[in-house]
Amino acid sequence: MTARPDQLTLLAADGSVTTEPLREPLAAVQPAAKPTAPLTERVVYAAAHVVPRAAADNTPGAPADLDWDATLAFRHHLWSWGLGVADAMDTAQRNMGLDPAATRELVTRSAREAQSVDGRLVVGVNTDDLPDAPATEQQVVDAYVGQLHHAEDTGAGVVLMASRHLARLARSDSDPASTYRRVYAAVLSRASAPVVLHWLGEAFDPALAGYFGATAGRADGGATGADTVLAVMGEAGDRVSGIKMSLLDARAETDLRARLPEGVRMFTGDDHHYVDLIAGDGTHHSDALLGAFAALGPVASAAVQALPDETAFRALLGPTEALSRHVFSAPVWHYKTGIAFLAWLNGHQPAFTMVGGLHAGRSLPHLSETVRLANACGALEDPALAAQRWHDLLALAGVAAPSTSSSVSSASSSAASAGRHGSAPDAAHLAGVVA
């Protein structure tokens, strides 16, 4: 049985199958709506993922073997919508399959591509060149500085990422705040241009629990994480231009945002609450550096272009938050599977595959809900293509679609004539679904 091309077949956890209508693309995300320059109402970065070669050895622990054409084309897609690209970040599978050699090459290649189109680019700088073992303070500083200088040599902006090695080191110190302050001071003194700090919460990486210290007020009057961050900024002066905050705690973000030094930007990394945070409270607002926006590039662009009309902004971006909350549901670190899945549905990579085999990180019912929510909020850039690919994946898993002889919608019909949507998936089609 084959699915109707104007319907989505959905799979529930109990194995039952339902359908719902496939939406037409949003008018606001058609190619004619692309801006001619980077967005200005907010500074917006999408944290981009990477695409492995479909024929690569993508088993866990194998060196990353990337499809550079698809990986870099995706960055051009984001730049074409006026978004900046945040590369070599968590979304690119740092500490989850992207090894140091591939990371350095990604930074070099992305910087070259950004310069070719005057696209905004920042890249992650971390300590993951070190073995996954306790490190000394000097080793942490040297690891950070080595990556910092490589990024600067390419011409890319820098996000000084939260470090597992530093978190481990600080936990072993009787005064963790002092450890953070010393390390950041040593690294920032070697920066030749302002950098963005990075505060990633344990929901994204349990190894970063307690980074910078406690996030709430302390009964003993000691420094909180926010106090430590502000101390780092105060000591660094103009060498810090902003902070990306990814705690999934909107209150913690707004509290710190109100205390930031003049000229320091708050980049929300909160994939659960970004709509209110970007809109702001009338006094302060957050800019954005979000993994979710890798999956929502055109919609995010259209929404930010609508500002300062907050009603129009919310009408476009508000419905996407349900999709993002689902993609970033627990275990949060498997959100990368949803980002790659949506990139595949939207035609930005040839197969649904990830470095280290992490495309297996979510179940088919979870992906089904991802498809449903993407359809509901307009995140499917070519709905007919997305439906075809999703139905091919279901067919590969042995899930039968309801049979119907209903006529094809106009959008699906045009895709069919372009060879995107046949009446039934053939063997060649199915072979490219999961590699």
Side-chain angles (χ1 to χ4, degrees), residues 6-287:
D6 60 346
Q7 296 280 329
L8 277 177
T9 298
L10 302 173
L11 177 68
D14 64 2
S16 60
V17 173
T18 58
T19 62
E20 68 175 46
L22 186 65
R23 282 189 54 174
E24 294 289 333
L26 293 175
V29 300
Q30 297 308 297
K34 288 184 176 182
T36 57
L39 303 177
T40 56
E41 286 293 335
R42 298 290 187 272
V43 178
V44 179
Y45 291 94
H49 75 304
V50 294
V51 183
R53 288 193 314 112
D57 177 9
N58 288 320
T59 53
D65 183 355
L66 301 187
D67 179 339
W68 288 110
D69 289 342
T71 294
L72 297 174
F74 186 73
R75 282 133 183 83
H76 281 280
H77 159 69
L78 296 172
W79 285 318
S80 76
W81 281 99
L83 304 176
V85 170
D87 220 333
M89 300 289 292
D90 300 278
T91 308
Q93 295 183 242
R94 292 290 287 264
N95 295 307
M96 288 186 72
L98 194 72
D99 56 276
T103 299
R104 286 192 295 274
E105 187 170 2
L106 177 63
V107 169
T108 300
R109 287 178 180 252
S110 289
R112 187 183 307 131
E113 296 299 314
Q115 291 159 13
S116 74
V117 295
D118 292 325
R120 284 182 178 145
L121 176 72
V122 292
V123 298
V125 162
N126 210 320
T127 62
D128 48 355
D129 288 331
L130 295 173
D132 185 14
T136 67
E137 189 169 308
Q138 190 59 51
Q139 287 174 323
V140 171
V141 171
D142 290 345
Y144 261 139
V145 171
Q147 291 196 21
L148 170 70
H149 287 170
H150 172 70
E152 290 182 336
D153 287 346
T154 69
V158 167
V159 178
L160 202 61
M161 297 177 72
S163 160
R164 291 177 174 180
H165 297 95
L166 178 52
R168 182 187 289 127
L169 184 67
R171 282 195 293 269
S172 69
D173 195 318
S174 60
D175 185 3
S178 292
T179 302
Y180 285 112
R181 290 172 66 174
R182 286 194 308 272
V183 169
Y184 278 98
V187 175
L188 291 169
S189 70
R190 305 284 295 278
S192 62
V195 309
V196 175
L197 302 182
H198 183 216
W199 191 354
L200 193 70
E202 63 183 301
F204 288 90
D205 186 349
L208 298 176
Y211 205 83
F212 287 126
T215 57
R218 288 176 46 163
D220 62 3
T224 66
D227 293 330
T228 303
V229 167
L230 291 168
V232 168
M233 291 179 178
E235 292 158 6
D238 61 6
R239 289 189 296 276
V240 172
S241 60
I243 180 168
K244 166 182 159 60
M245 197 163 175
S246 302
L247 301 184
L248 302 183
D249 182 339
R251 177 64 180 272
E253 179 174 322
T254 56
D255 286 351
L256 178 59
R257 187 174 71 186
R259 299 172 65 192
L260 290 178
E262 183 73 22
V264 175
R265 293 180 180 272
M266 172 61 75
F267 290 93
T268 186
D270 189 332
D271 300 278
H272 287 185
H273 310 103
Y274 52 80
V275 176
D276 286 343
L277 292 166
I278 295 171
D281 58 14
T283 303
H284 303 97
H285 68 260
S286 296
D287 293 295

Side-chain angles (χ1 to χ4, degrees), residues 397-416:
V399 177
S403 177
T404 177
S405 59
S406 177
S407 61
V408 179
S409 71
S410 58
S412 298
S413 179
S414 63

